Amino acid sequence: MSNYKLGLNYAKQQDQLDELSLYRAQFHIPKDPDGNELIYLCGNSLGLQPKSTKSYIDQELEDWANLGVEGHTEAKKPWLPYHEFLTEATAKLVGAKPIEVVTMNSLTANLHFMMASFYQPTKERYKILIESDAFPSDKYAVESQLRHHGFDDKEGLILWKPRKDEELLRYDDLESILKKHGNEIALIMIGGVNYYTGQFFDFKRITDLGHNYGCKVGFDCAHGAGNVNLDLHNSGADFAVWCTYKYMNSGPGSLSGCFVHERHAYNQNLNRFTGWWSHNKATRFNMRREFDVIPGAEGWQLSNPPILSMAAIRASLDMFNEVGLEKLIEKSKNLTGYLEFLLKQLGEDTIRIITPENPDERGCQLSIQVLKADKSLHHKLTVAGVISDWREPDVIRCAPVPLYNSFEDVYNMIDKLKAILNE
Ligand SMILES: *Cc1c(COP(=O)(O)O)cnc(C)c1O
């Protein structure tokens, strides 16, 4: 897709040709105090609110008001099996089988619960490999797991690092690490789409490599779910976790998704933390029975879940289901390619794009290094009505989200950036 053109008219034309352009109207777009729509390019951090979310939540408030505890069985969407209403659409979105996914807890909590099962260190094999620029919460989580099992959190952590003067990670380097340390590594835990660079990793390649050396492999897909084709089942990964408040548009702090590969679905011997929601549904309320774990990912649930948060996830999943991941990704590549095209017009001595150039190795986010810039640039962009995300020392992260961003958004963002740079 290299026939992009300059000019606002081209952007408007592309929006007219865009099959998904109608979805923008189904979201609340944040506005400035004068009522003008902001250019919101921060869906990688917090996705916008679908207008339908309110009615999904209102339904549950109404059922709670009218039914009280009876809502567990009598609500329009009964609360006892409520998480099951999310299963099919979630599985589809992340490329999994229904038995492999569940929505529960928050993201970092799920990461720990997965490590309780899939990080089983021994004296010889106890190290954890992560990418050197992992999201801080993930790094803290794996370090605390090392300490929890009595290991040194520096010595036990192996970092997959970019080469000198590079940002992206190379698979050759991962292979070299595994050749050298493969039999000491218990777990490989990678951020599936790196939050900083936007690099989308080859899950199957990493998983095959890890499994060859006897390591367990898991992915944090916070920046992947609803953004790229994760194809989790076919990747063979042991587990994956993600949040629903970034690209999945389900509200601040909303629940997390969790994937456990089918090959572990019936393994009763896996160590895990359990609660009454991991117990066989048929006998859960007998209360005095021996623990009887549910097969599949549901067997990792602990508590009865927050229905209001799940209602927001249902609203969003219904929209994803209607659009379909294929169309979404097609537009995403087109829109992000357009952002890349316009950025390149600014010249190599002004900006450098850190994110991979290959559209199959990224989602919608581009991480843009603005040479000789500092945080005042980000402030000026914000004042000009562009909501983006700044990372020290000089990187702007922009995520044109295919469900609600337009070509015109991208055009206007670049127009404003250009004006600021020319000041
Ligand atoms: C957003 C994000 C988190 C945030 O974790 P919470 O437990 O939801 O606060 C963690 N890890 C990654 C990779 C993220 O992108």
Coordinates of all heavy atoms in Angstrom, one line a residue, residues 257-325:
G257 N -8.0 -10.9 30.4 CA -8.3 -12.1 29.8 C -7.1 -13.1 30.0 O -6.0 -12.6 30.3
C258 N -7.4 -14.4 29.9 CA -6.3 -15.3 30.2 C -6.5 -16.5 29.3 O -7.6 -17.0 29.0 CB -6.5 -15.8 31.7 SG -5.2 -16.8 32.3
F259 N -5.4 -17.0 28.8 CA -5.4 -18.2 27.9 C -4.5 -19.3 28.5 O -3.4 -19.0 28.9 CB -4.8 -17.7 26.5 CG -4.3 -18.8 25.6 CD1 -5.2 -19.4 24.7 CD2 -3.0 -19.3 25.7 CE1 -4.7 -20.4 23.8 CE2 -2.5 -20.3 24.8 CZ -3.4 -20.9 23.9
V260 N -5.0 -20.5 28.5 CA -4.2 -21.6 28.9 C -4.3 -22.6 27.8 O -5.5 -23.0 27.4 CB -4.7 -22.2 30.2 CG1 -3.8 -23.5 30.6 CG2 -4.6 -21.2 31.4
H261 N -3.2 -23.1 27.2 CA -3.3 -23.9 26.0 C -4.0 -25.2 26.4 O -3.9 -25.8 27.5 CB -1.9 -24.3 25.5 CG -1.9 -24.8 24.1 ND1 -2.2 -26.1 23.8 CD2 -1.8 -24.1 22.9 CE1 -2.2 -26.3 22.5 NE2 -2.0 -25.1 21.9
E262 N -4.8 -25.7 25.4 CA -5.6 -26.9 25.5 C -4.8 -28.1 26.1 O -5.4 -28.9 26.8 CB -6.1 -27.3 24.1 CG -7.2 -28.3 24.1 CD -7.7 -28.5 22.6 OE1 -6.8 -28.4 21.7 OE2 -8.8 -28.9 22.4
R263 N -3.5 -28.2 25.8 CA -2.8 -29.3 26.2 C -2.7 -29.4 27.8 O -2.4 -30.5 28.3 CB -1.4 -29.4 25.6 CG -0.4 -28.5 26.3 CD 1.0 -28.7 25.7 NE 1.2 -27.9 24.5 CZ 1.5 -26.6 24.5 NH1 1.9 -26.0 25.6 NH2 1.6 -25.9 23.4
H264 N -3.0 -28.3 28.4 CA -3.0 -28.3 29.9 C -4.4 -28.4 30.5 O -4.6 -28.4 31.7 CB -2.4 -27.0 30.4 CG -1.0 -26.8 29.9 ND1 0.1 -27.6 30.2 CD2 -0.4 -25.8 29.1 CE1 1.2 -27.2 29.6 NE2 0.9 -26.1 29.0
A265 N -5.4 -28.4 29.6 CA -6.8 -28.3 30.1 C -7.2 -29.3 31.1 O -8.0 -29.0 32.0 CB -7.8 -28.3 28.9
Y266 N -6.8 -30.6 30.9 CA -7.2 -31.7 31.8 C -6.1 -32.1 32.8 O -6.3 -33.1 33.4 CB -7.7 -32.8 31.0 CG -8.9 -32.5 30.2 CD1 -8.8 -32.0 28.9 CD2 -10.2 -32.5 30.7 CE1 -9.9 -31.6 28.1 CE2 -11.3 -32.2 30.0 CZ -11.2 -31.7 28.7 OH -12.3 -31.4 28.0
N267 N -5.1 -31.3 32.9 CA -4.0 -31.7 33.8 C -4.3 -31.3 35.2 O -4.2 -30.1 35.6 CB -2.7 -31.1 33.3 CG -1.5 -31.5 34.2 OD1 -1.7 -32.1 35.2 ND2 -0.3 -31.1 33.8
Q268 N -4.7 -32.2 36.0 CA -5.1 -31.9 37.4 C -3.9 -31.8 38.3 O -4.0 -31.3 39.4 CB -6.0 -33.1 37.9 CG -7.1 -33.4 37.0 CD -8.5 -33.4 37.8 OE1 -8.5 -33.4 39.0 NE2 -9.5 -33.4 37.0
N269 N -2.7 -32.2 37.8 CA -1.6 -32.1 38.7 C -0.8 -30.8 38.6 O 0.1 -30.5 39.4 CB -0.6 -33.2 38.3 CG -1.2 -34.6 38.5 OD1 -1.9 -34.8 39.5 ND2 -0.9 -35.5 37.6
L270 N -1.3 -29.9 37.7 CA -0.6 -28.6 37.6 C -0.9 -27.8 38.9 O -2.0 -27.7 39.4 CB -1.2 -27.8 36.5 CG -0.5 -27.8 35.2 CD1 -1.2 -26.9 34.2 CD2 1.0 -27.2 35.3
N271 N 0.2 -27.3 39.5 CA 0.1 -26.5 40.7 C -0.8 -25.2 40.3 O -0.6 -24.7 39.2 CB 1.5 -26.0 41.1 CG 1.6 -25.9 42.5 OD1 0.9 -26.5 43.3 ND2 2.5 -25.1 42.9
R272 N -1.7 -24.8 41.2 CA -2.4 -23.6 40.9 C -3.0 -23.1 42.2 O -3.2 -23.8 43.1 CB -3.5 -23.9 39.8 CG -4.6 -24.7 40.3 CD -5.7 -24.9 39.2 NE -5.5 -26.0 38.4 CZ -6.1 -26.2 37.2 NH1 -6.9 -25.3 36.7 NH2 -5.9 -27.3 36.5
F273 N -3.4 -21.8 42.1 CA -4.2 -21.2 43.2 C -5.6 -21.3 42.9 O -6.0 -21.0 41.7 CB -3.8 -19.8 43.5 CG -2.4 -19.6 44.0 CD1 -1.6 -18.6 43.7 CD2 -1.8 -20.6 44.9 CE1 -0.3 -18.4 44.2 CE2 -0.6 -20.5 45.4 CZ 0.2 -19.4 45.0
T274 N -6.5 -21.8 43.8 CA -7.9 -22.0 43.4 C -8.8 -21.3 44.4 O -8.4 -20.8 45.5 CB -8.2 -23.5 43.5 OG1 -7.8 -24.0 44.7 CG2 -7.4 -24.3 42.4
G275 N -10.1 -21.3 44.0 CA -11.2 -20.7 44.8 C -12.4 -21.4 44.3 O -12.4 -22.3 43.5
W276 N -13.6 -21.0 44.9 CA -14.8 -21.7 44.5 C -15.2 -21.6 43.1 O -15.9 -22.4 42.5 CB -15.9 -21.3 45.5 CG -16.5 -19.9 45.4 CD1 -15.8 -18.8 45.0 CD2 -17.8 -19.5 45.7 NE1 -16.6 -17.7 45.1 CE2 -17.9 -18.1 45.5 CE3 -19.0 -20.2 46.2 CZ2 -19.0 -17.4 45.8 CZ3 -20.1 -19.4 46.4 CH2 -20.1 -18.0 46.2
W277 N -14.7 -20.5 42.4 CA -15.0 -20.4 41.0 C -14.2 -21.3 40.1 O -14.4 -21.4 38.9 CB -15.0 -18.9 40.5 CG -16.3 -18.5 40.1 CD1 -16.7 -18.1 38.8 CD2 -17.6 -18.3 40.8 NE1 -18.0 -17.8 38.7 CE2 -18.6 -17.9 39.9 CE3 -17.9 -18.5 42.2 CZ2 -19.9 -17.6 40.3 CZ3 -19.2 -18.3 42.5 CH2 -20.2 -17.9 41.6
S278 N -13.2 -22.0 40.6 CA -12.4 -23.0 39.8 C -13.0 -24.3 40.0 O -12.6 -25.3 39.4 CB -10.9 -23.0 40.2 OG -10.6 -22.4 41.4
H279 N -14.0 -24.4 40.9 CA -14.6 -25.7 41.2 C -15.8 -26.1 40.2 O -16.5 -25.2 39.8 CB -15.2 -25.7 42.6 CG -15.8 -26.9 43.1 ND1 -15.0 -27.8 43.9 CD2 -17.0 -27.4 43.0 CE1 -15.8 -28.9 44.2 NE2 -17.0 -28.6 43.7
N280 N -15.9 -27.3 40.0 CA -17.0 -27.9 39.2 C -18.3 -27.1 39.4 O -18.8 -27.1 40.5 CB -17.2 -29.4 39.6 CG -18.2 -30.1 38.8 OD1 -19.0 -29.5 38.1 ND2 -18.2 -31.4 38.9
K281 N -18.9 -26.6 38.3 CA -20.1 -25.8 38.5 C -21.3 -26.5 39.0 O -22.1 -26.0 39.7 CB -20.5 -25.2 37.1 CG -19.5 -24.2 36.5 CD -19.8 -23.9 35.1 CE -18.5 -23.5 34.4 NZ -18.7 -23.2 33.0
A282 N -21.4 -27.8 38.7 CA -22.5 -28.6 39.1 C -22.6 -28.8 40.6 O -23.7 -28.9 41.2 CB -22.5 -30.0 38.4
T283 N -21.4 -28.8 41.3 CA -21.4 -29.1 42.7 C -20.9 -27.9 43.5 O -20.6 -28.0 44.7 CB -20.6 -30.3 43.0 OG1 -19.3 -30.1 42.5 CG2 -21.2 -31.6 42.4
R284 N -20.7 -26.7 42.9 CA -20.1 -25.6 43.5 C -20.8 -25.2 44.8 O -20.2 -24.8 45.8 CB -20.0 -24.4 42.5 CG -19.3 -23.2 43.1 CD -19.4 -22.0 42.1 NE -18.4 -22.2 41.0 CZ -18.6 -21.7 39.8 NH1 -19.7 -21.0 39.5 NH2 -17.7 -21.9 38.8
F285 N -22.1 -25.2 44.7 CA -22.9 -24.7 45.9 C -23.2 -25.8 46.9 O -23.9 -25.5 47.9 CB -24.1 -24.0 45.4 CG -23.7 -22.7 44.6 CD1 -23.6 -22.7 43.2 CD2 -23.4 -21.6 45.3 CE1 -23.2 -21.6 42.5 CE2 -23.0 -20.4 44.6 CZ -22.9 -20.5 43.2
N286 N -22.7 -27.0 46.7 CA -22.9 -28.0 47.8 C -21.9 -27.6 49.0 O -22.1 -28.0 50.1 CB -22.5 -29.4 47.3 CG -23.5 -29.8 46.3 OD1 -24.5 -29.1 46.0 ND2 -23.3 -31.0 45.7
M287 N -20.9 -26.8 48.6 CA -20.0 -26.2 49.6 C -19.2 -27.1 50.4 O -18.1 -26.7 50.9 CB -20.8 -25.3 50.6 CG -21.6 -24.2 49.9 SD -20.5 -22.9 49.2 CE -21.5 -21.5 49.2
R288 N -19.5 -28.4 50.5 CA -18.7 -29.2 51.4 C -18.0 -30.3 50.7 O -17.4 -31.1 51.3 CB -19.6 -29.8 52.5 CG -20.0 -28.8 53.6 CD -20.4 -29.3 54.9 NE -20.6 -28.3 55.8 CZ -21.7 -27.5 55.9 NH1 -22.7 -27.7 55.1 NH2 -21.8 -26.6 56.8
R289 N -18.0 -30.2 49.4 CA -17.4 -31.3 48.6 C -15.9 -31.1 48.5 O -15.4 -30.0 48.6 CB -18.0 -31.2 47.1 CG -19.5 -31.5 47.1 CD -19.8 -33.0 47.3 NE -19.5 -33.7 46.0 CZ -20.5 -34.1 45.3 NH1 -21.8 -34.0 45.6 NH2 -20.2 -34.7 44.1
E290 N -15.2 -32.1 48.2 CA -13.8 -32.1 47.8 C -13.6 -31.2 46.6 O -14.5 -31.2 45.7 CB -13.3 -33.5 47.5 CG -13.2 -34.4 48.7 CD -11.9 -34.2 49.4 OE1 -10.8 -34.2 48.8 OE2 -12.0 -34.0 50.7
F291 N -12.5 -30.5 46.5 CA -12.3 -29.7 45.4 C -12.2 -30.5 44.1 O -11.6 -31.5 44.0 CB -11.0 -28.9 45.6 CG -10.7 -28.0 44.4 CD1 -11.5 -26.9 44.2 CD2 -9.6 -28.3 43.5 CE1 -11.2 -26.1 43.1 CE2 -9.4 -27.5 42.4 CZ -10.2 -26.4 42.2
D292 N -13.0 -30.0 43.1 CA -13.1 -30.7 41.8 C -12.9 -29.6 40.7 O -13.8 -28.9 40.4 CB -14.5 -31.3 41.7 CG -14.7 -32.0 40.4 OD1 -13.8 -32.3 39.6 OD2 -15.9 -32.4 40.2
V293 N -11.7 -29.6 40.1 CA -11.4 -28.4 39.2 C -12.1 -28.5 37.9 O -12.3 -29.6 37.3 CB -9.9 -28.3 39.0 CG1 -9.3 -29.5 38.2 CG2 -9.5 -27.0 38.4
I294 N -12.6 -27.4 37.4 CA -13.1 -27.3 36.0 C -12.0 -27.5 35.0 O -11.0 -26.8 35.1 CB -13.8 -25.9 35.8 CG1 -14.7 -25.5 36.9 CG2 -14.5 -25.9 34.4 CD1 -15.3 -24.1 36.7
P295 N -12.2 -28.3 34.0 CA -11.2 -28.4 32.9 C -11.1 -27.0 32.2 O -12.0 -26.3 32.0 CB -11.8 -29.4 32.0 CG -12.9 -30.1 32.7 CD -13.4 -29.1 33.7
G296 N -9.9 -26.8 31.7 CA -9.6 -25.6 30.8 C -9.4 -24.4 31.6 O -9.2 -24.4 32.9
A297 N -9.3 -23.2 30.9 CA -8.9 -22.0 31.6 C -9.8 -21.6 32.7 O -9.4 -20.9 33.7 CB -8.9 -20.9 30.5
E298 N -11.1 -21.9 32.6 CA -12.0 -21.6 33.7 C -11.6 -22.2 35.1 O -11.9 -21.6 36.1 CB -13.4 -22.2 33.4 CG -14.2 -21.4 32.4 CD -15.6 -22.0 32.3 OE1 -15.7 -23.3 32.0 OE2 -16.6 -21.3 32.6
G299 N -10.8 -23.2 35.0 CA -10.3 -23.8 36.3 C -9.3 -23.0 37.0 O -8.7 -23.4 38.0
W300 N -8.9 -21.8 36.4 CA -8.0 -20.9 37.1 C -8.8 -19.8 37.8 O -8.2 -18.9 38.4 CB -6.9 -20.4 36.2 CG -5.7 -21.3 36.1 CD1 -4.6 -21.1 36.9 CD2 -5.5 -22.4 35.3 NE1 -3.7 -22.2 36.6 CE2 -4.3 -23.0 35.6 CE3 -6.3 -23.1 34.4 CZ2 -3.7 -24.1 35.0 CZ3 -5.8 -24.3 33.8 CH2 -4.6 -24.8 34.1
Q301 N -10.1 -19.7 37.6 CA -10.9 -18.6 38.3 C -10.8 -18.8 39.8 O -10.8 -19.9 40.3 CB -12.3 -18.7 37.8 CG -12.6 -18.5 36.4 CD -14.0 -18.7 36.0 OE1 -14.8 -17.8 35.7 NE2 -14.4 -20.0 36.1
L302 N -11.0 -17.7 40.5 CA -11.0 -17.8 42.0 C -12.4 -17.3 42.5 O -13.0 -18.0 43.3 CB -10.0 -16.8 42.6 CG -8.5 -17.0 42.1 CD1 -7.7 -15.9 42.7 CD2 -8.0 -18.4 42.6
S303 N -12.8 -16.2 42.0 CA -13.9 -15.5 42.6 C -15.1 -15.3 41.7 O -14.9 -15.4 40.5 CB -13.5 -14.1 43.1 OG -12.5 -14.1 44.0
N304 N -16.3 -15.1 42.2 CA -17.4 -14.7 41.4 C -17.0 -13.3 40.9 O -16.6 -12.4 41.6 CB -18.7 -14.8 42.1 CG -19.0 -13.7 43.1 OD1 -19.7 -12.7 42.8 ND2 -18.4 -13.7 44.2
P305 N -17.2 -13.1 39.6 CA -16.6 -11.9 38.9 C -17.5 -10.6 39.0 O -18.7 -10.7 39.2 CB -16.5 -12.3 37.5 CG -17.6 -13.3 37.3 CD -17.8 -14.0 38.6
P306 N -16.9 -9.4 38.8 CA -17.6 -8.2 38.8 C -18.4 -8.1 37.5 O -17.9 -7.9 36.4 CB -16.6 -7.1 38.9 CG -15.3 -7.8 38.4 CD -15.4 -9.2 38.6
I307 N -19.7 -8.2 37.7 CA -20.7 -8.2 36.5 C -20.6 -6.9 35.8 O -20.7 -6.9 34.5 CB -22.1 -8.6 37.0 CG1 -22.1 -9.9 37.6 CG2 -23.1 -8.5 35.8 CD1 -21.6 -11.1 36.8
L308 N -20.5 -5.7 36.5 CA -20.6 -4.4 35.8 C -19.4 -4.3 34.8 O -19.6 -3.8 33.7 CB -20.6 -3.3 36.8 CG -21.8 -3.3 37.8 CD1 -21.7 -2.1 38.7 CD2 -23.1 -3.4 37.1
S309 N -18.3 -4.8 35.2 CA -17.1 -4.7 34.4 C -17.3 -5.6 33.2 O -16.9 -5.3 32.0 CB -15.9 -5.0 35.2 OG -14.7 -4.8 34.5
M310 N -17.8 -6.8 33.5 CA -18.0 -7.8 32.4 C -19.1 -7.3 31.4 O -19.0 -7.6 30.2 CB -18.4 -9.1 33.0 CG -17.2 -9.9 33.5 SD -17.6 -11.6 33.7 CE -15.9 -12.2 34.0
A311 N -20.0 -6.5 31.9 CA -21.1 -6.0 31.0 C -20.4 -5.1 29.9 O -20.7 -5.1 28.7 CB -22.1 -5.2 31.8
A312 N -19.4 -4.3 30.4 CA -18.7 -3.4 29.5 C -17.9 -4.2 28.5 O -17.8 -3.8 27.3 CB -17.8 -2.4 30.3
I313 N -17.3 -5.3 28.9 CA -16.6 -6.1 28.0 C -17.5 -6.7 26.9 O -17.2 -6.8 25.8 CB -15.8 -7.2 28.8 CG1 -14.8 -6.6 29.8 CG2 -15.0 -8.1 27.8 CD1 -14.1 -7.6 30.7
R314 N -18.7 -7.1 27.4 CA -19.7 -7.7 26.4 C -20.0 -6.7 25.3 O -20.1 -7.0 24.2 CB -20.9 -8.1 27.1 CG -20.9 -9.6 27.6 CD -22.3 -10.0 28.2 NE -23.3 -9.9 27.2 CZ -24.5 -9.3 27.4 NH1 -24.8 -8.7 28.6 NH2 -25.4 -9.2 26.4
A315 N -20.2 -5.4 25.8 CA -20.6 -4.4 24.8 C -19.5 -4.3 23.7 O -19.8 -4.2 22.5 CB -20.7 -3.1 25.5
S316 N -18.3 -4.3 24.2 CA -17.1 -4.2 23.3 C -17.0 -5.4 22.4 O -16.8 -5.3 21.2 CB -15.9 -3.9 24.1 OG -14.8 -3.9 23.2
L317 N -17.1 -6.6 23.0 CA -16.9 -7.8 22.2 C -17.9 -7.9 21.1 O -17.7 -8.4 20.0 CB -16.9 -9.0 23.2 CG -15.7 -9.3 24.0 CD1 -16.0 -10.4 25.0 CD2 -14.5 -9.7 23.1
D318 N -19.2 -7.5 21.4 CA -20.2 -7.6 20.4 C -19.8 -6.8 19.2 O -20.1 -7.2 18.0 CB -21.5 -7.1 21.0 CG -22.2 -8.1 21.8 OD1 -21.7 -9.3 21.9 OD2 -23.3 -7.8 22.5
M319 N -19.1 -5.6 19.4 CA -18.7 -4.8 18.3 C -17.6 -5.5 17.5 O -17.6 -5.6 16.3 CB -18.3 -3.5 18.8 CG -18.2 -2.4 17.7 SD -17.6 -0.8 18.3 CE -18.9 -0.3 19.4
F320 N -16.6 -6.0 18.2 CA -15.5 -6.7 17.6 C -16.0 -7.9 16.8 O -15.6 -8.2 15.7 CB -14.5 -7.2 18.6 CG -13.5 -6.2 19.0 CD1 -13.5 -5.5 20.2 CD2 -12.4 -6.0 18.2 CE1 -12.6 -4.6 20.6 CE2 -11.4 -5.0 18.5 CZ -11.5 -4.3 19.7
N321 N -17.0 -8.6 17.4 CA -17.5 -9.8 16.7 C -18.2 -9.4 15.4 O -18.1 -10.1 14.4 CB -18.6 -10.4 17.7 CG -18.6 -11.9 17.5 OD1 -17.7 -12.5 16.9 ND2 -19.6 -12.5 18.0
E322 N -18.9 -8.3 15.4 CA -19.6 -7.8 14.2 C -18.6 -7.4 13.1 O -18.8 -7.7 12.0 CB -20.5 -6.6 14.7 CG -21.4 -6.1 13.6 CD -22.2 -4.8 14.1 OE1 -23.0 -5.0 15.0 OE2 -21.9 -3.7 13.6
V323 N -17.6 -6.7 13.5 CA -16.6 -6.2 12.5 C -15.7 -7.4 12.0 O -15.5 -7.5 10.8 CB -15.7 -5.1 13.1 CG1 -14.7 -4.7 12.1 CG2 -16.5 -4.0 13.6
G324 N -15.3 -8.2 12.9 CA -14.4 -9.3 12.5 C -12.9 -8.8 12.5 O -12.6 -7.7 12.0
L325 N -12.0 -9.7 13.0 CA -10.6 -9.3 13.1 C -10.0 -9.0 11.8 O -9.1 -8.1 11.7 CB -9.9 -10.4 13.9 CG -8.5 -10.1 14.4 CD1 -8.5 -8.9 15.4 CD2 -7.9 -11.3 15.1

